[in-house]
Amino acid sequence: MDEFSLISQLIAPAAGARADVVLGIGDDGALVRPPPGEALVLVLDTLVEAVHFPRGFPPEDIGFRTAASNLSDLAAMGATPLWATLGLTLPQPDAAWVRAFMAGLHTAFMPYQVQLVGGDTTRGPLCISLQLTGSVPEALALRRNGARPGDRLFVSGTLGDAAAGLASLSVPDPSPEIADLRARFARPSARVALGQALRGLATSCIDVSDGLLADLGHLLERSACGAELRIDHIPLSPMLSGMADPDQVLALALTGGDDYELCFTLPAATPAAAVETLRGHCHVTEIGLITAQAGALALRDSAGPVALPAARGYRHFP
Ligand code: ADP
Ligand code: MG
């Protein structure tokens, strides 16, 4: 199958259809109508075989994950997802692979009606680059830099599951618990609705893609604050808690990547009812407090201070 048949037979038919797309796949560029009065939010994520997913990983999961990691960046900005462009580099024009990849991508896009409006297809080592555009009222965009001393620190969902799922990919005949953890790696749920609900409420927000300590560290750096983290309040799934010893579980939850949860801060005076509204979207847990000392991340449990683990999260260039 040549590049043009791949695009016209497999990619374009799975692209979706939005009223604000004037011209989608098929011309030199896409023409879209931005929502009146809103700012556009542009994000991009690249997934490389053997770096972000193992060789032979199911193409449907690769498609879903690629979409979810981008949707998660939009969620962390409080944005509404709109359009996508896709850079696809394939070792060979494998129709079955592309069909399955597009099915996964489409499944992740469907709840938000994201339309794939263009891209580029080339030959080379398997690599997927997806660019998403979303929108948000400019003044309401969530940023990393707005946390203030006294703010309450929260995280959505549970942490460490995806890292445990990735680590267990080579286990033959997985138990139902391991299968659940693997699904958290293969099919993460981006917290798009939560991100939008945080507009006008959260003082700062970041998505947890490289591990809580690493990503919280970025938020604190941009906000010039510190934090006190209650490690005994870190939300853990029953699957993960039941799988390994408590120290290993905590290390995964603090430094494991790929969970795509949101870490955010709320002013101390946020009414309890507002926090409850957030819980209508997904599991939300208070895990600490923002402090005044820039860059100081202190861990504690009910008994007192706890040492910081040496490894803080995934880095591509250590
Ligand atoms: P050009 O040579 O002008 O760059 P292409 O032949 O690469 O155009 O692409 C033809 C059309 O198909 C364009 O509209 C382009 O955006 C779209 N397209 C190509 N590859 C992809 C892809 N992987 N995903 C989505 N659209 C694609
Ligand atoms: Mg052209």
Side-chain angles (χ1 to χ4, degrees):
M1 204 175 213
D2 67 21
E3 167 198 344
F4 301 104
S5 321
L6 273 186
I7 297 167
S8 65
Q9 292 175 32
L10 302 177
I11 296 178
R18 296 178 59 94
D20 55 11
V21 175
V22 182
L23 194 56
I25 293 174
D27 213 303
D28 292 309
L31 265 180
V32 295
R33 291 198 192 101
E38 299 208 351
L40 296 180
V41 183
L42 286 75
V43 303
L44 181 143
D45 259 318
T46 297
L47 273 73
V48 179
E49 184 179 53
V51 176
H52 298 92
F53 55 87
R55 263 175 232 291
F57 199 61
E60 203 157 340
D61 289 340
I62 298 172
F64 192 100
R65 247 181 80 72
T66 308
S69 70
N70 273 275
L71 287 166
S72 177
D73 282 327
L74 287 182
M77 297 299 294
T80 305
L82 299 170
W83 316 297
T85 52
L86 171 68
L88 203 50
T89 304
L90 303 169
Q92 62 268 324
D94 179 342
W97 193 97
V98 173
R99 193 176 285 114
F101 171 85
M102 288 304 297
L105 193 74
H106 189 65
T107 304
F109 281 167
M110 210 153 41
Y112 314 104
Q113 260 104 56
V114 171
Q115 182 170 342
L116 182 63
V117 295
D120 195 29
T121 307
T122 53
R123 186 187 288 261
L126 182 58
C127 173
I128 300 110
S129 219
L130 185 71
Q131 186 275 326
L132 272 191
T133 302
S135 73
V136 64
E138 195 177 299
L140 298 182
L142 306 176
R143 302 170 185 222
R144 296 179 177 185
N145 66 358
R148 293 294 170 260
D151 282 358
R152 299 159 66 188
L153 181 65
F154 291 82
V155 74
S156 66
T158 56
L159 296 177
D161 295 336
L166 175 62
S168 68
L169 279 180
S170 57
V171 175
D173 301 321
S175 64
E177 289 76 18
I178 289 182
D180 279 351
L181 293 170
R182 285 184 185 179
R184 288 269 290 154
F185 174 77
R187 304 267 170 143
S189 29
R191 303 300 189 183
V192 176
L194 176 64
Q196 290 176 33
L198 289 171
R199 291 177 182 176
L201 210 56
T203 47
S204 70
C205 184
I206 190 169
D207 72 322
V208 182
S209 53
D210 294 334
L212 178 67
L213 293 186
D215 291 314
L216 174 59
H218 298 318
L219 185 150
L220 295 177
E221 196 182 320
R222 296 298 305 276
S223 295
C225 289
E228 189 180 84
L229 194 61
R230 284 293 300 250
I231 57 166
D232 50 336
H233 293 180
I234 301 289
L236 303 170
S237 71
M239 296 100 71
L240 183 62
S241 311
M243 213 185 68
D245 73 83
D247 285 348
Q248 208 182 341
V249 166
L250 184 65
L252 282 168
L254 292 177
T255 64
D258 299 314
D259 283 318
Y260 298 110
E261 297 296 348
L262 294 184
C263 175
F264 57 94
T265 54
L266 299 179
T270 305
V275 180
E276 277 319 302
T277 311
L278 299 177
R279 297 205 161 102
H281 296 286
C282 60
H283 197 76
V284 163
T285 309
E286 185 162 7
I287 55 168
L289 196 67
I290 299 298
T291 57
Q293 198 188 343
L297 180 54
L299 271 52
R300 56 164 301 149
D301 61 15
S302 56
V306 173
L308 208 62
R312 284 244 196 153
Y314 190 79
R315 280 169 185 255
H316 284 276
F317 305 103

